[in-house]
Amino acid sequence: MTTEIVRRPVVPLVLLVFLNLVLLSLQVRDEQGQTRLRGWLLWVRAPVSQALQSTTGLVRSAGRRYILLYGAANENQQLRTENERLRIEVARLRGLQGLFTRLPDYDSLRSHYDFKTRLAAVIWKSPPFYSQRMVISAGSRHGVHSDSAVISARGVVGRVLTMNAFTADVELLTNPGAAAGGMLANSGVQGVLQGDGSQKLRWSFIPSYENVQIGDVVYTSGSDRIYPKGIPIGRVILSQRGRKVYRDVEVEPFVDHLRLEEVVVVTGR
Amino acid sequence: MMDRTPAKIRGVNAVVRRWEIVILMVGCFVLQLLFAFYFPLALFLDLSLIVVLYIGWYSGPTRGMMAGLAFGLAQDLAYGQLLGLNGLSKTVIGYLASFVSKMFRFDLLIGRFAVMAACAVLDGAIHYLTLLVLEQPITSRYWTGVLIEAGVTAVIGAVGSRFYDRYKFPRKDFRKVGVA
Protein backbone atom coordinates (compact mmCIF):
# COMPACT_ATOMS: atom_id res chain seq x y z
CA MET A 1 0.00 0.00 0.00
CA THR A 2 1.36 3.39 -0.99
CA THR A 3 0.95 6.43 1.29
CA GLU A 4 1.03 9.82 -0.34
CA ILE A 5 3.22 12.32 1.45
CA VAL A 6 2.10 15.85 0.88
CA ARG A 7 4.13 18.51 2.63
CA ARG A 8 2.40 21.59 3.91
CA PRO A 9 4.71 24.54 3.40
CA VAL A 10 3.04 26.96 5.79
CA VAL A 11 6.02 29.29 6.11
CA PRO A 12 6.26 30.04 2.37
CA LEU A 13 2.51 30.60 2.31
CA VAL A 14 2.75 33.11 5.15
CA LEU A 15 5.65 34.83 3.44
CA LEU A 16 3.78 35.10 0.17
CA VAL A 17 0.67 36.41 1.88
CA PHE A 18 2.80 38.93 3.70
CA LEU A 19 4.43 39.93 0.41
CA ASN A 20 1.03 40.60 -1.10
CA LEU A 21 -0.05 42.58 1.93
CA VAL A 22 3.08 44.69 1.70
CA LEU A 23 2.40 45.30 -1.97
CA LEU A 24 -1.16 46.34 -1.19
CA SER A 25 -0.20 48.54 1.72
CA LEU A 26 2.37 50.38 -0.35
CA GLN A 27 -0.34 51.43 -2.77
CA VAL A 28 -2.94 52.53 -0.23
CA ARG A 29 -2.38 55.60 1.93
CA ASP A 30 -4.35 56.91 4.86
CA GLU A 31 -5.60 60.44 5.53
CA GLN A 32 -2.16 61.59 6.66
CA GLY A 33 -0.56 60.30 3.49
CA GLN A 34 1.15 57.46 5.33
CA THR A 35 1.20 54.00 3.83
CA ARG A 36 -0.97 51.40 5.53
CA LEU A 37 2.15 49.37 6.12
CA ARG A 38 3.43 51.98 8.55
CA GLY A 39 0.20 51.85 10.51
CA TRP A 40 0.17 48.06 10.58
CA LEU A 41 3.79 47.94 11.66
CA LEU A 42 2.91 50.29 14.49
CA TRP A 43 0.15 47.93 15.57
CA VAL A 44 2.64 45.09 15.60
CA ARG A 45 5.51 47.05 17.06
CA ALA A 46 3.69 48.89 19.84
CA PRO A 47 2.70 45.88 21.98
CA VAL A 48 6.07 44.25 21.45
CA SER A 49 7.99 47.36 22.41
CA GLN A 50 5.68 47.94 25.35
CA ALA A 51 6.20 44.40 26.56
CA LEU A 52 9.95 44.76 26.10
CA GLN A 53 9.99 48.02 27.98
CA SER A 54 7.96 46.53 30.83
CA THR A 55 10.24 43.53 31.00
CA THR A 56 13.43 45.57 30.99
CA GLY A 57 11.88 47.91 33.55
CA LEU A 58 11.08 44.98 35.80
CA VAL A 59 14.56 43.54 35.41
CA ARG A 60 16.15 46.91 36.04
CA SER A 61 13.95 47.54 39.03
CA ALA A 62 14.69 44.09 40.46
CA GLY A 63 18.38 44.68 39.89
CA ARG A 64 18.27 47.98 41.69
CA ARG A 65 16.17 46.68 44.55
CA TYR A 66 17.65 43.32 45.25
CA ILE A 67 20.99 42.98 43.54
CA LEU A 68 22.74 46.31 43.34
CA LEU A 69 22.48 47.11 47.05
CA TYR A 70 26.06 48.17 47.56
CA GLY A 71 25.20 51.86 47.21
CA ALA A 72 21.93 51.69 49.12
CA ALA A 73 23.40 52.29 52.58
CA ASN A 74 25.25 55.44 51.54
CA GLU A 75 22.27 56.65 49.60
CA ASN A 76 20.03 55.97 52.57
CA GLN A 77 22.31 57.94 54.86
CA GLN A 78 22.40 60.84 52.41
CA LEU A 79 18.66 60.82 52.13
CA ARG A 80 18.22 60.75 55.88
CA THR A 81 20.54 63.72 56.27
CA GLU A 82 18.78 65.56 53.50
CA ASN A 83 15.42 64.74 55.01
CA GLU A 84 16.44 66.02 58.43
CA ARG A 85 17.80 69.22 56.94
CA LEU A 86 14.62 69.76 54.95
CA ARG A 87 12.42 69.15 57.97
CA ILE A 88 14.32 71.76 59.93
CA GLU A 89 14.04 74.13 57.02
CA VAL A 90 10.30 73.53 56.76
CA ALA A 91 9.86 74.15 60.48
CA ARG A 92 11.85 77.36 60.24
CA LEU A 93 9.87 78.57 57.27
CA ARG A 94 6.60 77.71 58.97
CA GLY A 95 7.68 79.68 62.00
CA LEU A 96 8.62 82.64 59.83
CA GLN A 97 5.34 82.39 58.00
CA GLY A 98 3.41 82.34 61.26
CA LEU A 99 5.40 85.24 62.56
CA PHE A 100 4.72 87.32 59.48
CA THR A 101 1.06 86.37 59.72
CA ARG A 102 0.85 87.52 63.29
CA LEU A 103 2.95 90.64 62.97
CA PRO A 104 -0.01 92.85 61.99
CA ASP A 105 -1.76 91.69 65.18
CA TYR A 106 1.17 92.72 67.29
CA ASP A 107 1.42 95.99 65.43
CA SER A 108 -2.24 96.70 66.08
CA LEU A 109 -1.80 95.66 69.72
CA ARG A 110 1.11 98.02 70.08
CA SER A 111 -0.76 100.88 68.49
CA HIS A 112 -3.92 100.22 70.51
CA TYR A 113 -2.18 100.07 73.84
CA ASP A 114 0.43 102.68 74.18
CA PHE A 115 2.99 100.49 75.86
CA LYS A 116 6.58 99.88 75.34
CA THR A 117 6.71 96.32 74.32
CA ARG A 118 9.19 93.76 73.26
CA LEU A 119 8.53 90.75 71.08
CA ALA A 120 9.98 87.54 72.47
CA ALA A 121 9.95 83.93 71.44
CA VAL A 122 8.89 81.16 73.74
CA ILE A 123 11.94 78.98 74.15
CA TRP A 124 10.75 76.57 76.83
CA LYS A 125 7.48 75.45 78.33
CA SER A 126 6.97 73.50 81.51
CA PRO A 127 4.85 70.41 81.42
CA PRO A 128 1.30 71.63 82.02
CA PHE A 129 0.58 69.09 84.79
CA TYR A 130 3.64 70.21 86.71
CA SER A 131 3.47 73.99 86.58
CA GLN A 132 2.21 76.66 84.21
CA ARG A 133 5.44 78.43 83.34
CA MET A 134 7.59 79.18 80.36
CA VAL A 135 10.83 80.86 79.40
CA ILE A 136 10.99 83.60 76.80
CA SER A 137 13.88 85.01 74.79
CA ALA A 138 13.93 88.47 76.33
CA GLY A 139 15.71 89.55 79.52
CA SER A 140 16.88 92.54 81.46
CA ARG A 141 18.96 93.77 78.55
CA HIS A 142 15.76 94.09 76.57
CA GLY A 143 14.02 96.10 79.26
CA VAL A 144 12.22 93.19 80.89
CA HIS A 145 11.88 93.43 84.65
CA SER A 146 10.22 91.51 87.39
CA ASP A 147 6.39 91.54 87.17
CA SER A 148 6.44 92.67 83.57
CA ALA A 149 3.17 91.74 81.95
CA VAL A 150 3.37 89.20 79.20
CA ILE A 151 0.58 89.32 76.66
CA SER A 152 -0.19 88.08 73.18
CA ALA A 153 -2.40 89.21 70.37
CA ARG A 154 -5.23 87.17 71.88
CA GLY A 155 -4.92 88.29 75.48
CA VAL A 156 -3.08 88.04 78.77
CA VAL A 157 -0.43 85.36 79.10
CA GLY A 158 1.17 85.93 82.52
CA ARG A 159 3.89 87.86 84.27
CA VAL A 160 7.64 87.72 84.55
CA LEU A 161 8.87 86.07 87.70
CA THR A 162 12.61 86.14 87.28
CA MET A 163 14.96 87.00 84.48
CA ASN A 164 18.56 87.24 83.45
CA ALA A 165 20.15 89.34 80.76
CA PHE A 166 18.66 87.44 77.84
CA THR A 167 15.79 85.29 79.08
CA ALA A 168 12.92 85.55 81.48
CA ASP A 169 10.84 83.08 83.43
CA VAL A 170 7.14 83.72 82.95
CA GLU A 171 4.37 82.56 85.23
CA LEU A 172 1.20 81.90 83.28
CA LEU A 173 -2.06 83.23 84.55
CA THR A 174 -3.36 79.71 84.86
CA ASN A 175 -0.60 78.73 87.28
CA PRO A 176 -1.79 77.95 90.82
CA GLY A 177 -1.35 81.13 92.83
CA ALA A 178 -1.26 83.45 89.84
CA ALA A 179 -3.86 86.20 89.82
CA ALA A 180 -4.95 89.23 87.91
CA GLY A 181 -7.63 91.86 88.33
CA GLY A 182 -10.50 91.38 85.92
CA MET A 183 -13.56 93.32 84.93
CA LEU A 184 -16.52 93.16 82.62
CA ALA A 185 -16.48 95.80 79.97
CA ASN A 186 -20.23 96.47 79.92
CA SER A 187 -21.09 96.47 83.66
CA GLY A 188 -17.69 97.30 85.11
CA VAL A 189 -17.98 94.62 87.77
CA GLN A 190 -14.55 93.69 89.05
CA GLY A 191 -13.00 90.69 90.73
CA VAL A 192 -9.83 88.68 90.96
CA LEU A 193 -8.99 86.02 88.41
CA GLN A 194 -7.00 83.16 89.87
CA GLY A 195 -5.35 80.20 88.26
CA ASP A 196 -5.60 76.70 89.65
CA GLY A 197 -3.37 74.70 87.31
CA SER A 198 -6.13 73.83 84.89
CA GLN A 199 -7.00 75.59 81.66
CA LYS A 200 -9.68 77.59 83.47
CA LEU A 201 -9.57 80.64 85.73
CA ARG A 202 -11.66 81.22 88.78
CA TRP A 203 -13.10 84.71 89.01
CA SER A 204 -13.47 85.47 92.69
CA PHE A 205 -15.09 88.19 94.74
CA ILE A 206 -18.01 88.80 92.38
CA PRO A 207 -21.07 89.63 94.45
CA SER A 208 -24.04 87.31 93.97
CA TYR A 209 -26.33 90.06 92.88
CA GLU A 210 -24.12 91.03 89.96
CA ASN A 211 -25.38 90.05 86.54
CA VAL A 212 -22.64 87.96 84.93
CA GLN A 213 -23.70 86.06 81.89
CA ILE A 214 -22.03 83.13 80.28
CA GLY A 215 -20.14 84.37 77.25
CA ASP A 216 -19.23 87.75 78.74
CA VAL A 217 -15.70 88.84 77.98
CA VAL A 218 -13.44 89.62 80.89
CA TYR A 219 -10.69 92.24 80.56
CA THR A 220 -7.86 93.27 82.84
CA SER A 221 -8.89 95.96 85.29
CA GLY A 222 -5.39 97.31 85.99
CA SER A 223 -6.01 97.13 89.72
CA ASP A 224 -3.12 94.66 90.19
CA ARG A 225 -0.64 97.18 88.80
CA ILE A 226 0.91 94.46 86.69
CA TYR A 227 -1.34 94.12 83.66
CA PRO A 228 -2.39 97.22 81.78
CA LYS A 229 -6.09 97.92 81.85
CA GLY A 230 -8.32 96.66 79.06
CA ILE A 231 -6.48 93.61 77.82
CA PRO A 232 -8.81 90.69 77.14
CA ILE A 233 -8.39 87.71 79.42
CA GLY A 234 -11.12 85.25 78.56
CA ARG A 235 -14.79 84.41 78.31
CA VAL A 236 -17.18 83.45 81.13
CA ILE A 237 -18.12 79.79 80.86
CA LEU A 238 -19.79 79.32 84.27
CA SER A 239 -21.79 81.80 86.34
CA GLN A 240 -23.97 80.69 89.24
CA ARG A 241 -24.91 81.80 92.70
CA GLY A 242 -22.52 80.57 95.34
CA ARG A 243 -23.22 79.35 98.85
CA LYS A 244 -21.99 82.58 100.32
CA VAL A 245 -22.19 86.14 99.14
CA TYR A 246 -20.06 85.63 96.03
CA ARG A 247 -20.89 84.03 92.75
CA ASP A 248 -19.07 81.07 91.35
CA VAL A 249 -17.67 82.24 88.04
CA GLU A 250 -15.25 80.45 85.76
CA VAL A 251 -13.44 81.99 82.83
CA GLU A 252 -11.79 80.27 79.92
CA PRO A 253 -8.67 82.16 78.81
CA PHE A 254 -8.41 83.29 75.23
CA VAL A 255 -4.77 82.35 75.09
CA ASP A 256 -3.96 78.74 74.53
CA HIS A 257 -0.71 78.49 76.39
CA LEU A 258 0.20 75.20 74.87
CA ARG A 259 0.31 76.74 71.41
CA LEU A 260 2.14 79.94 72.22
CA GLU A 261 5.24 80.59 70.18
CA GLU A 262 5.76 84.33 70.52
CA VAL A 263 4.65 86.77 73.17
CA VAL A 264 4.87 90.48 73.81
CA VAL A 265 6.45 91.72 77.00
CA VAL A 266 5.30 95.07 78.36
CA THR A 267 8.55 96.76 79.24
CA GLY A 268 7.25 100.18 80.21
CA ARG A 269 4.33 102.52 80.07
CA MET B 1 16.60 3.47 -6.65
CA MET B 2 13.11 3.99 -5.35
CA ASP B 3 11.44 7.27 -6.20
CA ARG B 4 10.11 8.78 -2.98
CA THR B 5 8.42 11.71 -4.69
CA PRO B 6 4.66 11.62 -4.11
CA ALA B 7 2.69 10.33 -7.03
CA LYS B 8 0.70 13.51 -7.15
CA ILE B 9 3.82 15.66 -7.53
CA ARG B 10 5.30 13.29 -10.06
CA GLY B 11 2.11 13.61 -12.01
CA VAL B 12 2.24 17.35 -12.38
CA ASN B 13 5.07 17.23 -14.85
CA ALA B 14 2.98 14.94 -16.91
CA VAL B 15 -0.12 17.13 -16.68
CA VAL B 16 1.09 20.72 -16.66
CA ARG B 17 4.71 21.28 -17.47
CA ARG B 18 6.55 24.47 -16.60
CA TRP B 19 6.57 25.85 -20.09
CA GLU B 20 2.86 25.13 -20.27
CA ILE B 21 2.36 27.16 -17.14
CA VAL B 22 4.20 30.08 -18.70
CA ILE B 23 2.13 29.84 -21.86
CA LEU B 24 -1.06 29.60 -19.84
CA MET B 25 -0.08 32.63 -17.81
CA VAL B 26 0.70 34.70 -20.86
CA GLY B 27 -2.49 33.50 -22.50
CA CYS B 28 -4.58 34.40 -19.47
CA PHE B 29 -2.92 37.80 -19.23
CA VAL B 30 -3.59 38.63 -22.88
CA LEU B 31 -7.16 37.35 -22.75
CA GLN B 32 -7.92 39.29 -19.59
CA LEU B 33 -6.45 42.42 -21.16
CA LEU B 34 -8.66 41.95 -24.17
CA PHE B 35 -11.70 41.30 -22.00
CA ALA B 36 -10.99 44.38 -19.91
CA PHE B 37 -10.75 46.59 -22.98
CA TYR B 38 -13.32 45.16 -25.32
CA PHE B 39 -15.64 42.86 -23.46
CA PRO B 40 -15.98 43.75 -19.75
CA LEU B 41 -18.81 41.29 -19.21
CA ALA B 42 -16.31 38.48 -19.83
CA LEU B 43 -14.52 39.56 -16.67
CA PHE B 44 -17.08 37.47 -14.83
CA LEU B 45 -15.01 34.58 -16.04
CA ASP B 46 -11.98 34.22 -13.78
CA LEU B 47 -9.52 32.45 -16.04
CA SER B 48 -6.67 32.73 -13.57
CA LEU B 49 -8.68 30.99 -10.91
CA ILE B 50 -9.41 28.05 -13.20
CA VAL B 51 -5.77 27.61 -14.15
CA VAL B 52 -4.51 28.01 -10.61
CA LEU B 53 -7.00 25.44 -9.36
CA TYR B 54 -6.04 23.05 -12.11
CA ILE B 55 -2.36 23.37 -11.34
CA GLY B 56 -3.07 23.02 -7.64
CA TRP B 57 -5.04 19.81 -8.13
CA TYR B 58 -2.28 18.08 -9.98
CA SER B 59 0.65 19.43 -8.01
CA GLY B 60 1.76 20.14 -4.46
CA PRO B 61 0.94 23.17 -2.35
CA THR B 62 4.22 24.92 -3.12
CA ARG B 63 3.74 24.87 -6.84
CA GLY B 64 0.08 25.68 -6.37
CA MET B 65 0.70 28.80 -4.34
CA MET B 66 3.57 29.94 -6.53
CA ALA B 67 1.34 29.60 -9.57
CA GLY B 68 -1.38 31.41 -7.64
CA LEU B 69 0.95 34.27 -6.85
CA ALA B 70 2.14 34.60 -10.46
CA PHE B 71 -1.31 34.34 -12.00
CA GLY B 72 -2.83 36.63 -9.42
CA LEU B 73 -0.27 39.37 -9.90
CA ALA B 74 -0.63 39.07 -13.67
CA GLN B 75 -4.40 39.41 -13.27
CA ASP B 76 -3.97 42.50 -11.09
CA LEU B 77 -1.72 43.99 -13.75
CA ALA B 78 -4.23 43.20 -16.46
CA TYR B 79 -7.18 44.64 -14.54
CA GLY B 80 -5.24 47.67 -13.37
CA GLN B 81 -6.42 47.28 -9.80
CA LEU B 82 -4.50 47.08 -6.54
CA LEU B 83 -1.41 44.97 -7.15
CA GLY B 84 -1.55 42.07 -4.72
CA LEU B 85 -5.31 41.80 -4.37
CA ASN B 86 -5.63 38.76 -6.63
CA GLY B 87 -2.06 37.80 -5.80
CA LEU B 88 -3.10 37.28 -2.20
CA SER B 89 -6.32 35.40 -2.92
CA LYS B 90 -4.92 33.21 -5.67
CA THR B 91 -1.89 32.31 -3.53
CA VAL B 92 -4.16 31.02 -0.80
CA ILE B 93 -6.43 29.22 -3.26
CA GLY B 94 -3.51 27.62 -5.10
CA TYR B 95 -2.22 26.40 -1.74
CA LEU B 96 -5.60 24.99 -0.72
CA ALA B 97 -6.28 23.40 -4.12
CA SER B 98 -3.70 20.70 -3.56
CA PHE B 99 -5.49 19.61 -0.38
CA VAL B 100 -8.97 19.98 -1.83
CA SER B 101 -8.20 17.47 -4.53
CA LYS B 102 -7.87 14.79 -1.87
CA MET B 103 -11.37 15.42 -0.59
CA PHE B 104 -13.42 15.48 -3.81
CA ARG B 105 -13.79 13.22 -6.78
CA PHE B 106 -12.78 15.22 -9.81
CA ASP B 107 -13.71 12.58 -12.31
CA LEU B 108 -17.29 13.81 -11.89
CA LEU B 109 -18.18 17.10 -13.53
CA ILE B 110 -20.36 18.17 -10.66
CA GLY B 111 -17.44 17.79 -8.25
CA ARG B 112 -15.29 20.13 -10.30
CA PHE B 113 -18.15 22.57 -10.58
CA ALA B 114 -18.75 22.64 -6.84
CA VAL B 115 -15.11 23.08 -5.96
CA MET B 116 -14.56 25.81 -8.54
CA ALA B 117 -17.69 27.67 -7.42
CA ALA B 118 -16.64 27.43 -3.77
CA CYS B 119 -13.13 28.62 -4.59
CA ALA B 120 -14.53 31.54 -6.60
CA VAL B 121 -16.66 32.56 -3.61
CA LEU B 122 -13.63 32.19 -1.36
CA ASP B 123 -11.66 34.35 -3.78
CA GLY B 124 -14.37 37.01 -3.55
CA ALA B 125 -14.43 36.74 0.24
CA ILE B 126 -10.67 37.27 0.47
CA HIS B 127 -10.99 40.30 -1.80
CA TYR B 128 -13.78 41.63 0.37
CA LEU B 129 -11.83 41.23 3.61
CA THR B 130 -8.73 42.76 2.09
CA LEU B 131 -10.64 45.76 0.84
CA LEU B 132 -12.22 46.12 4.27
CA VAL B 133 -8.85 46.05 5.98
CA LEU B 134 -7.47 48.57 3.52
CA GLU B 135 -10.57 50.74 4.01
CA GLN B 136 -11.21 50.78 0.29
CA PRO B 137 -14.64 51.43 -1.23
CA ILE B 138 -16.73 48.32 -1.94
CA THR B 139 -19.61 48.41 -4.39
CA SER B 140 -23.09 47.77 -3.10
CA ARG B 141 -23.62 44.79 -5.45
CA TYR B 142 -20.29 43.22 -4.70
CA TRP B 143 -21.63 39.86 -3.58
CA THR B 144 -24.00 39.64 -6.53
CA GLY B 145 -21.02 40.02 -8.81
CA VAL B 146 -19.12 37.41 -6.85
CA LEU B 147 -21.93 34.89 -7.18
CA ILE B 148 -22.29 35.48 -10.92
CA GLU B 149 -18.55 35.15 -11.34
CA ALA B 150 -18.57 31.95 -9.29
CA GLY B 151 -21.26 30.44 -11.49
CA VAL B 152 -19.67 31.41 -14.78
CA THR B 153 -16.19 30.40 -13.67
CA ALA B 154 -17.38 27.09 -12.25
CA VAL B 155 -19.27 26.09 -15.40
CA ILE B 156 -16.53 27.02 -17.84
CA GLY B 157 -13.79 25.82 -15.50
CA ALA B 158 -15.39 22.40 -14.95
CA VAL B 159 -15.97 21.80 -18.65
CA GLY B 160 -12.67 23.27 -19.76
CA SER B 161 -10.60 21.34 -17.24
CA ARG B 162 -12.39 18.16 -18.26
CA PHE B 163 -11.43 18.72 -21.89
CA TYR B 164 -7.90 19.53 -20.93
CA ASP B 165 -7.77 16.31 -18.98
CA ARG B 166 -8.93 14.42 -22.07
CA TYR B 167 -6.18 16.11 -24.02
CA LYS B 168 -3.55 15.25 -21.44
CA PHE B 169 -4.85 11.76 -20.69
CA PRO B 170 -6.42 10.42 -23.90
CA ARG B 171 -8.55 7.33 -23.35
CA LYS B 172 -7.07 4.22 -24.86
CA ASP B 173 -9.30 1.80 -26.68
CA PHE B 174 -7.92 -1.57 -25.59
CA ARG B 175 -10.20 -3.37 -28.07
CA LYS B 176 -8.33 -1.69 -30.94
CA VAL B 177 -4.90 -2.01 -29.40
CA GLY B 178 -5.48 -5.56 -28.21
CA VAL B 179 -3.72 -7.45 -25.54
CA ALA B 180 -0.40 -8.94 -26.28
Side-chain angles (χ1 to χ4, degrees), chain A residues 4-14 16-21 23-25 27-31 36 40, chain B residues 6-9 61-62 65-66 69 73 81-85 87-88 91-92 95 99 102 130 133-136:
Chain A
E4 287 189 358
I5 303 169
V6 180
R7 289 170 295 175
R8 295 185 178 182
V10 178
V11 175
L13 175 69
V14 172
L16 289 181
V17 168
F18 184 71
L19 172 72
N20 282 294
L21 288 173
L23 271 174
L24 287 166
S25 69
Q27 299 163 76
V28 181
R29 293 178 182 271
D30 58 13
E31 294 80 8
R36 293 284 172 190
W40 294 346
Chain B
K8 194 173 186 180
I9 295 176
T62 304
M65 67 185 176
M66 291 306 293
L69 176 69
L73 290 177
Q81 57 187 5
L82 289 171
L83 191 66
L85 192 64
L88 176 66
T91 303
V92 176
Y95 178 83
F99 302 107
K102 293 172 69 177
T130 311
V133 170
L134 293 170
E135 298 175 7
Q136 295 299 299

Side-chain angles (χ1 to χ4, degrees), chain A residues 91-128:
Chain A
R92 189 180 74 83
L93 290 174
R94 277 188 184 157
L96 280 176
Q97 186 185 18
L99 181 62
F100 283 125
T101 306
R102 288 187 291 270
L103 270 178
D105 296 337
Y106 291 117
D107 287 342
S108 65
L109 186 72
R110 191 194 301 235
S111 61
H112 188 262
Y113 306 105
D114 191 16
F115 316 134
K116 289 182 181 175
T117 57
R118 169 81 191 188
L119 189 64
V122 177
I123 57 177
W124 180 82
K125 290 176 190 174
S126 67

Side-chain angles (χ1 to χ4, degrees), chain A residues 22-264:
Chain A
V22 170
L23 271 174
L24 287 166
S25 69
L26 288 176
Q27 299 163 76
V28 181
R29 293 178 182 271
D30 58 13
E31 294 80 8
Q32 286 81 31
Q34 305 280 348
T35 58
R36 293 284 172 190
L37 182 64
R38 193 182 291 269
W40 294 346
L41 287 179
L42 184 63
W43 274 96
V44 174
R45 190 179 54 197
V48 175
S49 59
Q50 195 169 4
L52 277 176
Q53 193 179 10
S54 301
T55 308
T56 54
L58 278 174
V59 171
R60 199 176 296 171
S61 173
R64 280 182 186 163
R65 287 185 183 181
Y66 304 111
I67 300 171
L68 304 176
L69 289 174
Y70 59 86
N74 288 335
E75 191 179 16
N76 190 27
Q77 186 61 37
Q78 285 176 1
L79 288 174
R80 280 172 181 271
T81 307
E82 183 71 10
N83 186 38
E84 195 64 29
R85 192 185 68 75
L86 289 174
R87 288 176 69 174
I88 292 171
E89 185 69 16
V90 167
R92 189 180 74 83
L93 290 174
R94 277 188 184 157
L96 280 176
Q97 186 185 18
L99 181 62
F100 283 125
T101 306
R102 288 187 291 270
L103 270 178
D105 296 337
Y106 291 117
D107 287 342
S108 65
L109 186 72
R110 191 194 301 235
S111 61
H112 188 262
Y113 306 105
D114 191 16
F115 316 134
K116 289 182 181 175
T117 57
R118 169 81 191 188
L119 189 64
V122 177
I123 57 177
W124 180 82
K125 290 176 190 174
S126 67
F129 53 86
Y130 180 67
S131 66
Q132 304 280 324
R133 292 164 69 178
M134 64 185 183
V135 177
I136 59 173
S137 63
S140 56
R141 291 196 63 170
H142 306 107
V144 177
H145 52 82
S146 182
D147 283 341
S148 288
V150 178
I151 59 178
S152 75
R154 287 178 169 271
V156 172
V157 175
R159 67 184 177 111
V160 174
L161 281 181
T162 56
M163 72 280 172
N164 58 27
F166 302 101
T167 58
D169 190 6
V170 177
E171 180 192 45
L172 304 181
L173 193 55
T174 51
N175 192 45
M183 60 178 285
L184 286 179
N186 51 1
S187 63
V189 61
Q190 295 191 12
V192 177
L193 285 150
Q194 295 174 308
D196 60 358
S198 69
Q199 293 301 312
K200 291 179 293 186
L201 300 170
R202 180 177 298 279
W203 198 12
S204 307
F205 308 118
I206 303 296
S208 291
Y209 57 83
E210 288 289 349
N211 185 18
V212 178
Q213 300 290 328
I214 291 175
D216 287 347
V217 177
V218 183
Y219 296 86
T220 53
S221 64
S223 60
D224 49 40
R225 302 183 67 82
I226 297 173
Y227 302 103
K229 186 178 179 179
I231 300 174
I233 297 175
R235 193 181 301 277
V236 175
I237 56 171
L238 175 67
S239 177
Q240 61 186 17
R241 284 180 176 273
R243 292 178 182 175
K244 296 181 181 177
V245 295
Y246 300 115
R247 295 182 71 88
D248 290 335
V249 181
E250 286 185 355
V251 174
E252 183 183 38
F254 286 131
V255 177
D256 185 356
H257 302 113
L258 296 174
R259 289 183 171 80
L260 271 179
E261 291 181 2
E262 296 91 21
V263 293
V264 175

Side-chain angles (χ1 to χ4, degrees), chain B residues 53-106:
Chain B
L53 275 172
Y54 192 81
I55 294 171
W57 287 343
Y58 289 105
S59 63
T62 304
R63 185 176 287 240
M65 67 185 176
M66 291 306 293
L69 176 69
F71 277 82
L73 290 177
Q75 191 177 8
D76 289 330
L77 280 175
Y79 288 179
Q81 57 187 5
L82 289 171
L83 191 66
L85 192 64
N86 277 293
L88 176 66
S89 62
K90 298 295 187 296
T91 303
V92 176
I93 287 172
Y95 178 83
L96 293 176
S98 64
F99 302 107
V100 168
S101 63
K102 293 172 69 177
M103 304 174 194
F104 295 91
R105 290 183 61 187
F106 288 119

